[in-house]
Amino acid sequence: MLKLTPIVLVGLLSGATVSPVAAGEPGAFNGTWAVDLVTESGLCDARYTTAIAIRDGQVRTASAKESGARVTGQVGPDGTVGLNVSNGAASGAASGRLQAAGGAGTWKVSALCSGHWTARRNTTHTAQAE
């Protein structure tokens, strides 16, 4: 069975987590997000998990381990996600919507496989001395 990694193809977001900002403002979705992709049809593995980074609406893979994929895309001020991703001969796209702490949408890798994705914003808690 052909084993593809749509998470590499849909390797979404990076950067430091910032304080939540109201949707519609520049940087409202900045930070690192955990993304789960579930294959609904095709030749890909059943489930993938990756991290993506968003900075001022621009999306990229958060992990250097997934550097084989080329990701271009963005998140609009309203949370609309649109990505084009390629890895060798395979190419794919993802779309959907983010909200303050999570999001969802669909993805497709050429005619090979497709499914849905969910995302959740990673939060960073810093211990402070008293």
Side-chain angles (χ1 to χ4, degrees), residues 3-12 35 37 44 48 50 52 59-61 66-72 83-94 107-113:
K3 187 173 182 178
L4 297 177
T5 310
I7 208 62
V8 168
L9 296 176
V10 187
L12 302 175
V35 181
L37 292 95
C44 298
Y48 300 89
T50 193
I52 59 170
V59 178
R60 66 182 172 91
T61 305
E66 297 173 16
S67 62
R70 178 183 165 113
V71 179
T72 57
L83 299 174
N84 293 303
V85 188
S86 63
N87 188 7
S91 63
W107 60 267
K108 183 173 184 174
V109 177
S110 303
L112 298 174
C113 50

Side-chain angles (χ1 to χ4, degrees), residues 9-88:
L9 296 176
V10 187
L12 302 175
L13 319 161
S14 159
T17 301
V18 296
S19 301
V21 180
E25 293 181 20
F29 301 101
N30 282 0
T32 304
W33 296 70
V35 181
D36 294 315
L37 292 95
V38 176
T39 301
E40 296 172 340
S41 67
L43 302 173
C44 298
D45 286 347
R47 173 174 243 124
Y48 300 89
T49 301
T50 193
I52 59 170
I54 299 173
R55 175 101 176 140
D56 298 328
Q58 299 301 307
V59 178
R60 66 182 172 91
T61 305
S63 172
K65 294 178 185 176
E66 297 173 16
S67 62
R70 178 183 165 113
V71 179
T72 57
Q74 55 190 329
V75 177
D78 63 351
T80 302
V81 175
L83 299 174
N84 293 303
V85 188
S86 63
N87 188 7

